[in-house]
Amino acid sequence: MKYYSTNGQAPMADLKKAVVKGLAEDRGLYMPERINKLPKAFFDDMPEMKFQDIAYNVASAFFGEDVDLDALKDLVYDTLQFDCPVVKVKENIYALELFHGPTLAFKDVGARFMARLLQYFIRMEGQHEMVNVLVATSGDTGSAVANGFLGVDGIHVYVLYPKGKVSPIQECQFTTLGQNITAIEVDGVFDDCQRLVKSAFMDEELNQRMKLTSANSINVARFLPQAFYYFNAYARMKALGKADQFVMCVPSGNFGNICAALFGHAMGLPVKRFIAANNANDIFYKYLLTGKYEPKPSVQTLANAMDVGDPSNFARIYDLYGKSHERITSLISGATYNDEQIRQTMRQCYDETGYILDPHGACGYQALVDGLQEGEVGVFCETAHPAKFKEKVDEILGIDVEIPDRLAAFMRGEKKSVPMTKDFNDFKKYLKKFGHLK
Ligand SMILES: *Cc1c(COP(=O)(O)O)cnc(C)c1O
């Protein structure tokens, strides 16, 4: 399979190049040249299939030409050692719980998959140059990537995160690991972190000196595996006899997760329509209304993993539908909620149903409450375990959310991070001094 750039000014790449480089030469995002449809029999059989087997079928359609099938199966099974259950919250509204992975984040799947795929390519070449992985995070990406890559030889990971803007629990998930993981605390916002990472990839001198790659959701190996979740959601809903008019609602920030769902749809997944739920960062919502995409600086909200002012994967969605606003709005609608509405939703849902939403999932849940039509059944992604936002959830609901053991273990570690300004020259100096050279 070949991959082209959404900007159309870069040469086609094979999978290995797309994964190792992350971003194309023209700063565009890689897109597969074809999206293979899956056979009808697969959709018929899905309700009886395990998550891992469903995922292996989906993975083969994307990566089967470029990765040995036994290795791919191994990789999928290694990545998915947990479930992603569909839980009924109330009549016609279900939560797809994406937080049962190692760091309780949906990003665990893409992170682990990418780490293993990168390792597969490094090993195949038999080469021993270290690869430097750069990742910008507003919280969840950092912990998922750091844990997905932890101890994978041949790779060193630098996690850039905005100082004081991630929750203490999130922070300790990538600052306490050590080994091949370095946390970099940037005096700025998430968009600054993302800009530093993007600038590093575009910097000729750095690229001559060292192998740099990204683990942000711009990487095809990070975002595509998230399609597994949506096939599993369909399978579980079909088993319940609820899949006929199935609406999928995804709380979105950088739009990697919903983009993977849309790729699933293009592979034949019978979802009737999609809803992208936003917090107060409503750039995509405004695009749906006006046809104009106008990025702006992000604002800080309760759902901080969605505080994105210029969602990277918009370019992929735009490309997927031939840049047609009409095609996009016929399949996808939007919703936007400010912090006060998020609080209200969390309280109302808890009082009515007993289900504890985290602030991100709350946007998804409310978008279904507001947007479901007669006869439709809605599934929203619950993208984070509520304990990851314990301070907020406890305060809003007046409860004491239990911290799962896996999470508590991180909190016992010692925090280590490198302070950094938001000036690219400082970051560059640091990489030249401490990065792994070719
Ligand atoms: C990353 C994240 C999101 C947003 O996902 P995107 O793929 O960036 O749209 C939503 N909720 C949580 C908890 C996240 O960590």
Side-chain angles (χ1 to χ4, degrees):
M1 181 89 77
K2 290 277 186 274
Y3 291 79
Y4 65 89
S5 162
T6 50
N7 285 347
Q9 305 292 318
M12 299 280 270
D14 59 14
L15 176 64
K16 182 184 158 207
K17 179 176 169 190
V19 173
V20 171
K21 279 196 59 73
L23 205 61
E25 290 90 339
D26 60 1
R27 299 195 135 207
L29 274 59
Y30 283 118
M31 292 281 281
E33 61 176 344
R34 272 175 291 110
I35 297 180
N36 296 324
K37 291 242 188 251
L38 288 166
K40 183 175 174 301
F42 171 62
F43 292 103
D44 292 343
D45 293 345
M46 256 195 325
E48 282 84 51
M49 291 170 73
K50 282 196 307 187
F51 184 28
Q52 286 93 335
D53 292 324
I54 292 172
Y56 172 62
N57 276 274
V58 177
S60 310
F62 279 116
F63 306 117
E65 295 167 30
D66 304 297
V67 181
D68 172 76
L69 286 181
D70 286 336
L72 186 60
K73 190 161 199 171
D74 203 40
L75 213 153
V76 169
Y77 274 67
D78 171 69
T79 300
L80 301 180
Q81 298 188 21
F82 52 87
D83 203 10
C84 83
V86 164
V87 175
K88 182 171 179 176
V89 177
K90 70 176 194 183
E91 207 51 40
N92 295 329
I93 298 186
Y94 294 76
L96 176 65
E97 293 185 348
L98 303 185
F99 56 67
H100 295 277
T103 74
L104 309 176
F106 75 78
K107 295 180 178 76
D108 285 327
V109 158
R112 185 70 183 162
F113 189 90
M114 182 184 164
R116 291 289 317 268
L117 191 61
L118 206 52
Q119 190 183 38
Y120 171 82
F121 285 131
I122 293 172
R123 281 189 182 157
M124 219 171 48
E125 277 192 348
Q127 71 174 34
H128 301 290
E129 259 171 27
M130 286 287 284
V131 175
N132 300 274
V133 169
L134 307 183
V135 59
T137 185
S138 53
D140 264 9
T141 304
S143 43
V145 168
N147 285 275
F149 281 77
L150 182 65
V152 175
D153 46 78
I155 304 175
H156 196 105
V157 177
Y158 301 85
V159 180
L160 285 79
Y161 70 104
K163 182 177 174 173
K165 296 197 171 56
V166 303
S167 80
I169 294 178
Q170 285 177 326
E171 193 176 10
C172 66
Q173 286 181 298
F174 51 80
T175 55
T176 59
L177 298 170
Q179 295 188 51
N180 59 333
I181 312 297
T182 302
I184 297 185
E185 187 172 24
V186 176
D187 196 1
V189 295
F190 169 70
D191 292 311
D192 294 314
C193 300
Q194 186 145 279
R195 181 177 43 77
L196 290 181
V197 167
K198 281 189 180 174
S199 301
F201 292 130
M202 291 304 135
D203 190 277
E204 231 169 88
E205 193 192 352
L206 281 181
N207 281 278
Q208 268 165 15
R209 289 194 184 204
M210 56 185 67
K211 278 204 149 161
L212 290 177
T213 191
S214 135
N216 276 94
S217 58
I218 51 175
N219 198 297
V220 294
R222 266 277 325 273
F223 95 93
L224 272 174
Q226 292 167 170
F228 304 159
Y229 290 135
Y230 299 94
F231 285 86
N232 192 57
Y234 173 77
R236 305 289 81 92
M237 292 306 283
K238 194 165 180 207
L240 295 172
K242 298 271 185 190
D244 293 341
Q245 290 202 61
F246 165 32
V247 176
M248 193 68 234
C249 179
V250 186
S252 296
N254 252 326
F255 282 71
N257 202 10
I258 194 169
C259 193
L262 296 169
F263 271 70
H265 182 256
M267 294 169 86
L269 188 67
V271 175
K272 183 185 169 196
R273 61 188 186 92
F274 293 86
I275 304 176
N278 285 149
N279 58 24
N281 294 280
D282 58 357
I283 290 79
F284 185 76
Y285 180 78
K286 291 242 168 77
Y287 164 77
L288 293 175
L289 292 183
T290 64
K292 291 199 197 89
Y293 179 75
E294 296 177 324
K296 55 186 179 193
S298 61
V299 296
Q300 206 180 333
T301 76
L302 275 174
N304 68 9
M306 288 154 53
D307 293 350
V308 182
D310 184 5
S312 316
N313 285 289
F314 177 77
R316 282 203 170 101
I317 297 175
Y318 198 50
D319 187 273
L320 187 60
Y321 299 106
K323 304 181 168 41
S324 162
H325 181 253
E326 196 188 322
R327 283 180 64 195
I328 292 175
T329 51
S330 68
L331 183 64
I332 314 167
S333 62
T336 169
Y337 299 103
N338 63 30
D339 280 358
E340 196 38 50
Q341 290 169 311
I342 290 174
R343 282 193 193 93
Q344 249 174 38
T345 295
M346 289 169 64
R347 286 193 197 110
Q348 228 164 43
C349 178
Y350 183 65
D351 289 346
E352 246 179 68
T353 71
Y355 192 83
I356 303 173
L357 292 164
D358 95 294
H360 306 80
C363 297
Y365 171 81
Q366 191 61 40
L368 287 177
V369 170
D370 294 339
L372 270 190
Q373 290 155 15
E374 192 64 30
E376 291 178 340
V377 174
V379 177
F380 70 97
C381 297
E382 180 40 291
T383 48
H385 191 291
K388 291 196 84 169
F389 300 89
K390 180 171 168 54
E391 298 85 0
K392 294 169 184 169
V393 175
D394 283 358
E395 181 231 287
I396 294 167
L397 299 182
I399 58 176
D400 184 11
V401 174
E402 199 180 322
I403 300 183
D405 290 346
R406 251 175 305 166
L407 210 49
F410 287 110
M411 298 170 76
R412 291 191 281 271
E414 186 199 346
K415 176 186 156 179
K416 276 203 192 108
S417 62
V418 178
M420 187 65 62
T421 71
K422 58 185 175 185
D423 180 352
F424 175 62
N425 286 318
D426 288 338
F427 182 48
K428 184 171 169 177
K429 253 185 246 156
Y430 173 84
L431 280 179
K432 277 163 73 175
K433 190 157 172 208
F434 295 105
H436 294 269
L437 302 181
K438 277 187 185 169

